[in-house]
Amino acid sequence: LWLNAHAASPDIALASNGLHRADVTALLLDAPRLGLRPRLFDPARAAVYPANASGPPLVILRESTPETNELIQAWPVIFADAAFTILTPQPLEPVSPLVADFANGLTFLGYTLSRQASELRLTAFWETASSFQPPPPRPVEAPRPDEMGGGWPAPLKMFTHVLNPNGSYLTGDDRLDLDPATLRVGDQFAQLFRITLPSDLAPGWYTLNIGLYHPVTGERVLRTTGEDHLTLTPLELP
């Protein structure tokens, strides 16, 4: 395996379609001497830049290509074969910086926002602060919450809400396409949201909020300033 031959840093990010923990197990079996600490993410909507505690970080794609995710398609490829593509990640930088600390040790770094026809595309950028405590790892055999009736209760999700001019909920997108149990202090990650807008929008100024919550209880994660969400840019729609 390329990782063994090049004595790769143990701090890597592993792209897995569907966030299958078995992909982590297989990688650890392939490179048992490296003591790998993979961060697991789904390349369809997320990207992770692992903190390089002991060397340059790497990103490994299994059964994927960089083109599957606009966040990583420009990252240089340093190795590729039928099973793996290995990339050198580039720092994740938002177009609109906006720093906000949340009580669970996640720090919002900013966002990039665009509109394509009836869809808002919001990329949120985050970092794990020194106070971050990852949730317990899920079992290898547990499916994702949206598979097979939901065998694994997701420990954390993000919400994006578009509010009407009167403050009522209009539309949004809730998701987290990485396994927070695999993150470590200093890691950066990006999450892509695709928010579908209704076709009958009345002209006006709309509010865009983002935040974190526990899906099992519905409880929101507070910011260190006490609010349960972060307001982004006002939107003039349609």
Side-chain angles (χ1 to χ4, degrees), residues 66-80:
E67 289 74 21
T68 61
N69 185 327
E70 61 193 56
L71 298 170
I72 64 177
Q73 62 186 0
W75 291 358
V77 175
I78 58 177
F79 174 79

Side-chain angles (χ1 to χ4, degrees), residues 51 105-107 126-132 183-189:
L106 291 182
T107 297
W126 299 80
E127 184 174 60
T128 53
S130 59
S131 59
F132 175 71
L183 295 176
R184 292 175 178 264
V185 171
D187 288 347
Q188 294 183 355
F189 63 92

Side-chain angles (χ1 to χ4, degrees), residues 18-209:
L19 293 181
H20 291 294
R21 288 283 303 175
D23 286 339
V24 175
T25 302
L27 182 64
L28 298 180
L29 290 174
D30 285 339
R33 296 188 300 273
L34 295 180
L36 297 177
R37 299 186 289 263
R39 287 70 154 162
L40 192 64
F41 71 98
D42 190 326
R45 291 282 194 97
V48 176
Y49 185 96
N52 53 338
S54 57
L58 299 173
V59 172
I60 302 173
L61 306 184
R62 289 176 59 89
E63 302 174 355
S64 300
T65 63
E67 289 74 21
T68 61
N69 185 327
E70 61 193 56
L71 298 170
I72 64 177
Q73 62 186 0
W75 291 358
V77 175
I78 58 177
F79 174 79
D81 64 13
F84 294 96
T85 301
I86 301 179
L87 313 174
T88 301
Q90 305 300 303
L92 300 169
E93 297 181 353
V95 170
S96 302
L98 178 63
V99 177
D101 296 319
F102 284 76
N104 65 347
L106 291 182
T107 297
F108 186 79
L109 300 177
Y111 61 98
T112 297
L113 181 66
S114 64
R115 181 180 177 186
Q116 298 182 1
S118 61
E119 182 181 81
L120 291 177
R121 298 172 67 88
L122 171 69
T123 303
F125 296 82
W126 299 80
E127 184 174 60
T128 53
S130 59
S131 59
F132 175 71
Q133 294 292 329
R138 63 189 172 103
V140 172
E141 69 276 8
R144 284 190 58 165
D146 55 356
E147 295 176 326
M148 299 166 54
W152 169 59
L156 187 68
K157 270 193 173 183
M158 297 180 180
F159 67 84
T160 54
H161 291 171
V162 178
L163 305 183
N164 286 301
N166 64 7
S168 63
Y169 174 82
L170 174 67
T171 185
D173 185 18
D174 290 20
R175 60 190 316 112
L176 182 58
D177 293 293
L178 57 85
D179 187 347
T182 65
L183 295 176
R184 292 175 178 264
V185 171
D187 288 347
Q188 294 183 355
F189 63 92
Q191 173 67 59
L192 172 63
F193 299 90
R194 294 176 177 172
I195 306 171
T196 301
L197 297 173
S199 58
D200 57 349
L201 273 177
W205 286 94
Y206 293 75
T207 301
L208 178 60
N209 290 339

